Amino acid sequence: MKIARFSHDGAINFGILDETDFVVLAGDPMFSGFETTGERVPLADAVLLAPVIPRSKVVCVGKNYADHAKEMGGEAPEEPLLFLKPNTSVIGPNDRIALPSLSRQVEHEGELAVVIGSVAKNVRAEDADSVIFGYTIANDVTARDLQRSDGQWTRAKGFDTFCPLGPVIETEFSFDGASLETRVNGEVRQNAPLTDMIHSVAEIIAYASAVFTLLPGDVILTGTPAGVGPIVSGDVVEVEIGGLGTLRNAAV
């Protein structure tokens, strides 16, 4: 089931994608379930928004693909390397990535994102599926020069617009054969199967929830494969994952 958050005629709604229409939901499905209003909105008439605004945090995992760790000049860590992005960094499909004047090297990082659906604390890996609402696509936009100069990642990862999410949340996503591809102006920059992740989604949820409570609507970014690179004003970044669609944003 593909869930979208969208605006139409001045109202913001959640809906289930049914081919060319959204079946409008009565409320936020994470809290109100999947009751529908009976209304249908043509996809062509809706403006897609970020499918979720994290209630408290975006939890990210660094260097979770061996080839990416290597291209960054180091080995992959033995345990998940966690950092946070503020929820103010979240934008939706087709929203613009604002390149900050403080940085001269902003880069894309296409990633699989996990949307948490229930309060989760000290979750065992084998129980991780019970706290997952669904999956979407993310771009962990990064000011690489600031990441190097600061020695920690908060500023480099936390600018407004540095966490595009979307286009939808898939509640029944299958990893079988799924891969991630990132394109800039149509040129392929990243391409890797999701099975290349070092730490699985279940392992990440167990590790993160042992540190802090995950809340409904929180988002986990699972790491990026090799091929990260710069974006400049006018570039269009597309991150595609089979079964989830394509997240498209232009940089300005």
Side-chain angles (χ1 to χ4, degrees):
M1 184 184 302
K2 289 181 169 59
I3 306 296
R5 180 172 163 265
F6 63 92
S7 64
H8 176 253
D9 283 346
I12 295 177
N13 292 296
F14 290 87
I16 300 170
L17 181 60
D18 181 21
E19 296 185 352
T20 60
D21 291 345
F22 288 122
V23 178
V24 179
L25 292 170
D28 185 334
M30 265 182 283
F31 299 94
S32 304
F34 298 104
E35 180 184 354
T36 63
T37 66
E39 181 185 4
R40 298 177 75 93
V41 173
L43 177 59
D45 295 341
V47 176
L48 285 175
L49 306 174
V52 62
I53 299 296
R55 267 60 176 181
S56 66
K57 54 192 171 294
V58 179
V59 181
C60 308
V61 182
K63 300 181 180 180
N64 197 31
Y65 288 74
D67 286 348
H68 173 60
K70 186 180 299 182
E71 77 176 349
M72 298 303 292
E75 297 294 324
E78 292 185 6
E79 297 181 326
L81 175 60
L82 299 183
F83 61 93
L84 302 176
K85 293 172 86 85
N87 58 10
T88 49
S89 66
V90 171
I91 56 174
N94 302 311
D95 288 339
R96 294 179 174 182
I97 300 167
L99 303 175
S101 60
L102 295 173
S103 173
R104 295 182 180 275
Q105 186 183 0
V106 176
E107 298 190 353
H108 63 80
E109 295 190 9
E111 308 199 8
L112 174 72
V114 184
V115 181
I116 298 299
S118 60
V119 177
K121 178 62 179 175
N122 292 324
V123 178
R124 298 184 305 169
E126 54 266 36
D127 297 328
D129 282 348
S130 68
V131 302
I132 296 173
F133 179 75
Y135 295 83
T136 190
I137 302 171
N139 185 356
D140 176 21
V141 183
T142 303
R144 195 71 68 199
D145 50 351
L146 302 184
Q147 185 182 21
R148 288 192 298 262
S149 64
D150 287 0
Q152 51 83 28
W153 300 0
T154 301
R155 186 167 65 131
K157 302 279 192 175
F159 284 96
D160 291 353
T161 77
F162 269 28
C163 189
L165 294 176
V168 297
I169 298 172
E170 173 58 73
T171 60
E172 300 171 1
F173 178 64
S174 171
F175 280 74
D176 292 342
S179 62
L180 180 151
E181 181 174 282
T182 303
R183 300 180 293 272
V184 178
N185 303 326
E187 175 191 355
V188 176
R189 294 271 188 90
Q190 297 179 281
N191 191 304
L194 296 180
T195 51
D196 278 2
M197 283 193 292
I198 297 168
H199 304 290
S200 69
V201 168
E203 291 168 337
I204 293 167
I205 288 175
Y207 188 85
S209 69
V211 181
F212 32 60
T213 301
L214 302 172
L215 300 179
D218 282 353
V219 175
I220 297 177
L221 274 54
T222 58
T224 195
V228 300
I231 53 175
V232 298
S233 183
D235 283 348
V236 176
V237 184
E238 296 174 301
V239 185
E240 181 176 356
I241 296 177
L244 297 181
T246 301
L247 172 64
R248 182 179 294 105
N249 301 90
V252 297

